[in-house]
Amino acid sequence: MRKQKRCMGYVAVVVDDYDRAIEYYTDKLGFTLIEDTPQPGKRWVVVTPDPDSDCAILLARASNDRQEGFIGNQCGGRVFLFLQTDNFWRDYNAMKAKGVHFCQEPREEEYGMVVVFEDIYGNRWDLYQNRQT
């Protein structure tokens, strides 16, 4: 019997509109829509940068005023999510060409290449590639 590993399954990102969020994450960031299932009063919408990944983003539409207040500010203005890539310049250039807003120029750190960008809502992300060892 194979032991089930523990991992993060989903990270919820609060959004204002399912279709607008799907379009941004798939068209601008190159994610794959892996599920869009209607449920009473909402939808279960999941996107991922790689269908083979163990972790995906659940696009969760705000359902009240309090939740709406957190759209784009789920981490108090800090970098909230980290998108790891195996080819930094490929992904940076593709995202930039599609209009993704980068907050700074790419920089090399001890661990590798990194740049901060904001998604359509203002959530801050790191696009990064670990240094090859």
Side-chain angles (χ1 to χ4, degrees):
M1 182 156 123
R2 184 174 160 251
K3 183 180 179 194
Q4 176 67 33
K5 67 180 179 176
R6 291 178 55 159
C7 67
M8 296 295 296
Y10 304 101
V11 174
V13 173
V14 182
V15 302
D16 64 349
D17 178 81
Y18 292 116
D19 295 322
R20 181 173 178 232
I22 291 168
E23 180 180 1
Y24 178 82
Y25 280 89
T26 58
D27 293 347
K28 304 288 186 192
L29 300 186
F31 283 32
T32 300
L33 175 65
I34 58 173
E35 187 170 358
D36 186 355
T37 303
Q39 295 181 334
K42 61 182 179 178
R43 289 158 53 187
W44 182 262
V45 179
V46 179
V47 296
T48 182
D50 182 339
D52 292 328
S53 175
D54 286 335
C55 187
I57 293 179
L58 173 67
L59 300 175
R61 189 187 66 203
S63 61
N64 59 45
D65 291 342
R66 183 166 185 258
Q67 290 176 8
E68 285 177 7
F70 287 97
I71 294 173
N73 192 26
Q74 290 188 217
C75 202
R78 292 189 59 126
V79 170
F80 172 53
L81 297 164
F82 300 80
L83 179 58
Q84 183 176 355
T85 179
D86 62 350
N87 187 323
F88 179 88
W89 293 108
R90 174 199 65 209
D91 292 342
Y92 170 76
N93 289 324
M95 291 165 61
K96 189 169 185 166
K98 292 183 179 186
V100 172
H101 171 71
F102 288 92
C103 304
Q104 57 190 218
E105 292 299 313
R107 65 185 189 279
E108 192 164 345
E109 296 286 348
E110 288 182 23
Y111 57 84
M113 291 298 297
V114 64
V115 67
V116 176
F117 70 93
E118 291 181 348
D119 67 17
I120 191 172
Y121 300 106
N123 291 306
R124 293 171 66 89
W125 293 64
D126 271 358
L127 172 67
Y128 75 99
Q129 179 179 5
N130 286 328
R131 184 177 310 284
Q132 304 300 319
T133 55

